[in-house]
Amino acid sequence: MTPRRPSDVEEPVNALAQTWSRSSGAASETPSFAEVAEAHLDDVHRYLVLMTGNRAVAEDLTGETFERALRRFGRYDARRGSARSWLLALARSAALDHFRAEERRRKREERFAFEVDEHAPPISEGFSPELDRALKSLSAGEREVVALRVVLELEAESTARLLSISQSACTTRLSRALQKLEERTSRDAVA
Amino acid sequence: MTQSPEPISTDRLERLLGGATPEGEREARFAGVLRELRTATPGGSSELHERVRALAHREATRPGLFWHRIAGRRVALVLAPVALFAVAACAAVYGLVPRDSEPTAVPASAPDRSEGGVTRRELQPQVRSGTATSPPLDVYQPPVRTALDAAKGLPAEVPSSGRVRDVGAFLRLRVANPERLSDATNDAMRITRTVGGYVAYVDVDTTAKSGRATMTLRVPVNRVEDAIVRLSDLGTITAQHSEIVDRQVEVDRLARRISSLRVAVAQTRAALLRADTPEERARLQLLLERQKAALNRLTRQRGGIVREASFARIDLSVVTGKAQKDESVGPFGRAARDALHALAVAAAGALFVLILLAPLLALGALLALVLRSRRRRIEERLLDRLGPSARQAGEPAPGPLP
């Protein structure tokens, strides 16, 4: 029986994923790295796009995330959590390392202001200009929780665990971020 | 500036996230934002997918991948039982390996050692059918199979050597109850008198359930073997010790001094007879008296040593108590007991180390918690700072951060 393919995954990608699964001896319980990567790469990328607000940076960090994942794949235990949560935790760590490096670099260059580059590329071509501007006005922490809860549809408990905060704090943060988005998109739309 | 509208409750927000039908214009806009976020946030480009696939393929074909997949925790889960098994195996080997629990065979006559003019010959234990005899006083010995074995610990040449020696023996017996203790004490005294000796000291202390008797018996040295054999029959031997101290050198030295003094006394007497003046006679008289006193003292001293040596000293201790449970334990039982002892020692050592390290571990855990909490706060501040602040219409550009 042919397994049902997700509608948003192209045919060649699926075929390649299955080839890699067979070649790496996919076990019934522990998926191979190739399977995990193929299944969750887009989710990781979406998360990093929203968190960094920059597609180019997100792409680099996605690659770095999967390199880290490959190095640590031996320690991944499927019984402790889903592969997606595990990958998102690695992605978060990669993003934080990037932010810390960026902050150190800016301090060295004595540039403390984070200013909007109005000519910066949009976060996503599919976003409306209002939403794109509204997203860029949020902090990285607010965009992060939006990415996890809204875009990736992670549960509140998993998100809170990933962010190392309480569930109520996570919900409050999300509510604040979405309120801002809604206000700013409607204000821009009216303007 | 318009006031912000009423915020949407978190419950309602969760329901909208779950796909609930929006109510009102505001919720409709909300739902629109959610829809746009979900559908328009891009996934990875095809180049990114290719890059990650190539990465997975390269690692999948690399030799030795198996070891990469062995996680630290899994290694620990495998190593822990292996380590425990190794410890148990070492303990079992320790229990099974025969140790030097039985004395080695040495010649009956040990070399003499001179200490301050007194020659000591310490009795060496002799091996008779695996039974130890004459061990050191502070070493527990299993019960002797026969009383004769205990007496054989004394060298055979003691009675007939002609030398002056102090012979001593210590014997500890165990009897069943205080009544038997009393009988054994009386029997010991009777045996002593029978062999021509005498009881120099007795101390008996009994209660309703236990008792102890301590005796010092003096028996003629040529009957000491007989006395020990008969005394050993009064109970179960639990400890024994024998010692011979050679006093001949001391006696010979005293004899030489006595001879010298006798000559001196005779010379003084002769000089006294030839004395011309009263002063000289008085001086010689005084000297003669001192020499005679010294002669008497040394003669008594030598006589005392010889008399002492003619009687052997037996220190007999009789106690009540139950038989040791391991008296009839076979080799497997001993091996198991020794193995358990080794494990107990190892466990005690591990507990000791754990107690020593416990404060450090607690401090380490506390420090780790503090550092983790601090790192989380720093990350949150970092994420709050990052992210551009959009310049709204009419708002001034944000200044540099402090």
Side-chain angles (χ1 to χ4, degrees), chain A residues 117-180:
Chain A
D117 182 0
E118 293 193 344
H119 301 292
I123 296 174
S124 168
E125 302 292 343
F127 288 160
S128 61
E130 297 82 18
L131 181 59
D132 189 72
R133 272 198 296 276
L135 279 170
K136 286 177 179 174
S137 73
L138 298 181
S139 69
E142 289 167 336
R143 287 200 301 271
E144 176 183 35
V145 74
V146 167
L148 292 171
R149 290 298 321 275
V150 177
V151 177
L152 300 183
E153 299 183 67
L154 227 63
E155 291 168 0
E157 188 185 342
S158 304
T159 306
R161 194 163 50 237
L162 183 65
L163 301 181
S164 301
I165 58 176
S166 66
Q167 216 166 310
S168 62
C170 177
T171 306
T172 305
R173 194 181 290 187
L174 173 68
S175 172
R176 208 164 41 227
L178 289 177
Q179 305 281 7
K180 284 184 187 176

Side-chain angles (χ1 to χ4, degrees), chain B residues 2-67:
Chain B
T2 56
Q3 266 189 332
S4 300
E6 279 292 316
I8 298 177
S9 71
T10 52
D11 283 344
R12 189 64 194 151
L13 183 66
E14 291 290 339
R15 278 198 277 275
L16 287 172
L17 280 172
T21 307
E23 296 168 1
E25 194 182 329
R26 185 150 188 257
E27 286 194 6
R29 283 200 302 273
F30 220 92
V33 168
L34 299 181
R35 194 166 47 247
E36 191 175 353
L37 281 168
R38 281 174 178 157
T39 56
T41 307
S45 63
S46 53
E47 289 83 12
L48 183 60
H49 276 267
E50 280 302 318
R51 206 167 102 195
V52 173
R53 281 190 206 119
L55 186 69
H57 179 68
R58 191 174 67 236
E59 288 301 319
T61 54
R62 198 173 74 171
L65 185 64
F66 171 74
W67 296 107

Side-chain angles (χ1 to χ4, degrees), chain B residues 138-312:
Chain B
D138 57 345
V139 173
Y140 169 77
Q141 290 293 314
V144 178
R145 298 269 162 70
T146 63
L148 191 61
D149 290 334
K152 293 289 188 211
L154 293 168
E157 64 194 277
V158 168
S160 59
S161 66
R163 292 180 69 85
V164 177
R165 299 171 193 258
D166 280 342
V167 177
F170 170 79
L171 204 58
R172 186 190 297 149
L173 304 177
R174 187 181 66 240
V175 296
N177 49 55
E179 290 76 25
R180 189 67 200 101
L181 176 77
S182 180
D183 293 341
T185 306
N186 293 332
D187 289 341
M189 290 192 287
R190 178 180 51 76
I191 290 167
T192 304
R193 287 191 288 272
T194 302
V195 300
Y198 60 95
V199 178
Y201 174 81
V202 176
D203 179 21
V204 181
D205 183 15
T206 57
T207 62
K209 292 184 181 178
S210 65
R212 168 186 278 273
T214 306
M215 286 171 275
T216 300
L217 311 173
R218 305 303 298 267
V219 300
V221 70
N222 57 345
R223 298 296 303 276
V224 65
E225 185 175 326
D226 182 27
I228 288 177
V229 168
R230 293 167 71 174
L231 289 170
S232 303
D233 288 338
L234 299 178
T236 305
I237 299 174
T238 59
Q240 59 194 23
H241 175 70
S242 303
E243 186 182 63
I244 295 177
V245 178
D246 190 292
R247 307 292 297 273
Q248 188 62 49
V249 171
E250 189 180 1
V251 167
D252 291 344
R253 182 170 52 82
L254 284 170
R256 284 193 297 274
R257 285 180 65 188
I258 288 169
S259 300
S260 300
L261 269 172
R262 282 192 177 140
V263 168
V265 163
Q267 287 171 346
T268 305
R269 279 200 178 119
L272 186 61
L273 288 175
R274 290 193 304 271
D276 294 330
T277 61
E279 294 81 7
E280 193 175 345
R281 275 199 292 274
R283 184 180 61 78
L284 288 170
Q285 189 67 40
L286 203 62
L287 177 62
L288 182 63
E289 284 169 10
R290 283 206 299 270
Q291 286 171 341
K292 280 183 178 178
L295 181 61
N296 288 338
R297 190 180 69 250
L298 289 176
T299 305
R300 277 198 304 275
Q301 189 176 344
R302 188 188 69 169
I305 292 173
V306 171
R307 271 196 305 278
E308 277 284 319
S310 65
F311 275 81

Side-chain angles (χ1 to χ4, degrees), chain B residues 102-122:
Chain B
E102 296 170 358
T104 55
V106 294
S109 59
D112 291 344
R113 289 192 298 117
S114 292
E115 290 181 3
V118 175
T119 303
R120 287 183 176 275
R121 173 176 296 186
E122 291 183 355

Side-chain angles (χ1 to χ4, degrees), chain A residues 75-128:
Chain A
R75 291 199 288 274
Y76 166 63
D77 187 354
R79 291 168 295 184
R80 291 178 66 191
S82 68
R84 188 165 80 150
S85 298
W86 179 67
L87 286 169
L88 288 173
L90 290 176
R92 185 170 197 266
S93 173
L96 286 170
D97 290 343
H98 167 76
F99 291 148
R100 278 192 279 265
E102 279 295 298
E103 192 170 61
R104 285 196 295 270
R105 184 181 66 78
R106 286 172 200 273
K107 281 181 181 174
R108 278 199 305 272
E109 296 172 358
E110 295 184 350
R111 285 181 58 194
F112 295 100
F114 293 86
E115 296 187 354
V116 172
D117 182 0
E118 293 193 344
H119 301 292
I123 296 174
S124 168
E125 302 292 343
F127 288 160
S128 61

